[in-house]
Amino acid sequence: MTTRRDFIGKAGMGIAGAAAFGAPAVHANKKTTIRWRMQTYAGPALAEHVVKPAIESFNKIAGSEMQIELYFADQLVPTGELFRAMQKGTIDAVQSDDDSMASPTEVTVFGGYFPFASRYSLDVPVLFNQYGLNEIWDKEYAKVGVKHLSAGAWDPCHFATKEPIRSLADLKGKRVFTFPTAGRFLHQFGVIPVTLPWEDIEVAVQTGELDGVAWSGITEDYTVGWADVTNYFLTNNISGAWAGSFYANMDQYNKLPDRLKELLKLTMDSSHYYRQWWYWGGEASLRVHGTKMELTSIPDEEWTQVEAAAVKFWDQVASESATKKQVVDIFKRYNADMQKAGRPYRYS
């Protein structure tokens, strides 16, 4: 803010300068810093890894030209309202998955953890950059005034629970915090999906409102405190990697000069790369050296029932629209290619 005293003082200097040079004072117009507000799906502890380093890097390089103010889960708006807030311009950008922020697109169901769509984290960027998902996402979000900026992978989806899970029967009646589509899929095995604000999960597990979470891998369980309130970690997973993205209000994005668009892209790529090694190393290390949760497994002969159910679920989703069928067909083609490629891409 410019105070009255500052204004008068600066005006006086301008007059003095004009008199000294015998010409009117000309003041260069300073460029206004572009300011964006971005909200992530992640709480503070998790955001320290999945987004904050990248945004700090962007701000450092962009300097006075542009600054992004980062907000954590539910800080400005509830996660389920992120899309609408961004579409309206209440916030400028979002880091989330399509499913959690309830985006009204044909691809929303595939965000987060679409059952068995991936086995490894590298599957996600390959699907988007080499198998055509980028083009589909771009088209779908352009219809609703949002720019899909960049997709990347996070961790696999596992159960962390208070009671052990060693068979499919043990899943029945478990009240679990999970993603909408994952919950829809798991419901057939007796799981009761529960939706709560992210920051309330730890307390909900402690009080018995929740029996566990199926929201992440073991790295996040330790990072955000869930490993402190659960006792068991199920090694079987329903997806090899969470698929999430960065998005922006289309009008705000279009106003950016090309240089800042390119910087934003590079920053997001650095964020994706950080998560690749942070999660990959963390998942293995904490299974081997972690002391807070006991590892359990459902036998392969039982788990094949879940994998078979996923194939039926894919076909069910594909029948809902032409765009969904296009995405499912890509998943099928990709996984068939990986299976034929053999080791190390897929193991029989």
Side-chain angles (χ1 to χ4, degrees), residues 13 16 184:
M13 288 176 65
R184 173 182 164 190

Side-chain angles (χ1 to χ4, degrees), residues 222-259:
Y222 272 76
T223 302
V224 305
W226 295 341
D228 297 323
V229 294
T230 56
N231 303 314
Y232 300 92
F233 179 85
L234 181 66
T235 60
N236 310 72
N237 63 62
I238 66 163
S239 183
W242 187 80
S245 297
F246 290 92
Y247 314 81
N249 175 277
M250 185 71 80
D251 291 337
Q252 292 298 95
Y253 177 77
N254 288 338
K255 291 177 184 177
L256 294 181
D258 289 342
R259 175 181 174 279

Side-chain angles (χ1 to χ4, degrees), residues 45-342:
L46 185 59
E48 286 287 339
H49 295 279
V50 301
V51 65
K52 190 178 177 184
I55 299 304
E56 288 178 341
S57 177
F58 178 93
N59 289 340
K60 185 176 181 179
I61 298 170
S64 61
E65 196 171 357
M66 181 173 177
Q67 292 288 292
I68 298 175
E69 299 169 3
L70 180 63
Y71 295 87
F72 305 133
D74 305 313
Q75 207 167 3
L76 294 178
V77 297
T79 297
E81 298 175 16
L82 276 176
F83 177 85
R84 295 298 183 190
M86 174 174 50
Q87 188 184 44
K88 293 176 182 177
T90 305
I91 54 179
D92 304 290
V94 165
Q95 182 201 45
S96 178
D97 67 280
D98 318 77
D99 204 20
S100 297
M101 69 176 186
S103 58
T105 72
E106 290 295 316
V107 297
T108 296
V109 68
F110 303 108
Y113 293 118
F114 191 69
F116 297 97
S118 64
R119 181 172 293 189
Y120 307 119
S121 57
L122 277 174
D123 291 339
V124 174
V126 173
L127 280 162
F128 274 88
N129 295 305
Q130 295 185 356
Y131 276 71
L133 293 192
N134 264 337
E135 290 75 14
I136 297 173
W137 261 247
D138 287 347
K139 182 180 178 182
E140 286 299 307
Y141 278 96
K143 293 177 183 177
V144 290
V146 166
K147 175 64 177 176
H148 177 257
L149 295 172
S150 182
W154 275 251
D155 50 342
C157 183
H158 293 262
F159 282 87
T161 53
K162 295 175 74 172
E163 299 298 326
I165 297 175
R166 296 190 172 93
S167 69
L168 289 181
D170 291 336
L171 292 174
K172 293 180 180 178
K174 292 290 188 298
R175 294 159 298 178
V176 174
F177 172 63
T178 190
F179 292 85
T181 298
R184 173 182 164 190
F185 172 69
L186 291 170
H187 183 68
Q188 64 188 294
F189 300 102
V191 173
I192 302 172
V194 178
T195 301
L196 290 171
W198 189 91
E199 62 185 8
D200 295 342
I201 303 308
E202 185 173 348
V203 174
V205 174
Q206 288 177 301
T207 60
E209 185 178 356
L210 289 175
D211 297 303
V213 296
W215 202 84
S216 68
I218 198 168
T219 306
E220 285 192 17
D221 291 334
Y222 272 76
T223 302
V224 305
W226 295 341
D228 297 323
V229 294
T230 56
N231 303 314
Y232 300 92
F233 179 85
L234 181 66
T235 60
N236 310 72
N237 63 62
I238 66 163
S239 183
W242 187 80
S245 297
F246 290 92
Y247 314 81
N249 175 277
M250 185 71 80
D251 291 337
Q252 292 298 95
Y253 177 77
N254 288 338
K255 291 177 184 177
L256 294 181
D258 289 342
R259 175 181 174 279
L260 288 179
K261 289 178 181 178
E262 190 66 20
L263 178 57
L264 194 58
K265 178 181 181 300
L266 292 171
T267 300
M268 292 182 296
D269 284 345
S270 73
S271 177
H272 296 324
Y273 173 66
Y274 182 108
R275 289 192 311 275
Q276 286 283 352
W277 61 260
W278 184 66
Y279 277 122
W280 187 255
E283 295 300 304
S285 178
L286 288 170
R287 284 191 186 199
V288 176
H289 303 292
T291 58
K292 294 181 179 181
M293 293 189 289
E294 179 183 334
L295 304 184
T296 64
S297 297
I298 294 175
D300 290 344
E301 56 270 23
E302 270 198 86
W303 195 247
T304 54
Q305 297 176 42
V306 183
E307 295 174 343
V311 175
K312 294 180 180 179
F313 184 78
W314 285 19
D315 290 336
Q316 178 187 339
V317 171
S319 69
E320 296 172 358
S321 76
T323 299
K324 290 178 181 178
K325 183 179 186 304
Q326 187 181 6
V327 175
V328 169
D329 286 346
I330 288 174
F331 284 152
K332 288 182 176 180
R333 176 164 60 90
Y334 175 75
N335 278 280
D337 287 350
M338 295 299 104
Q339 196 67 40
K340 291 176 183 177

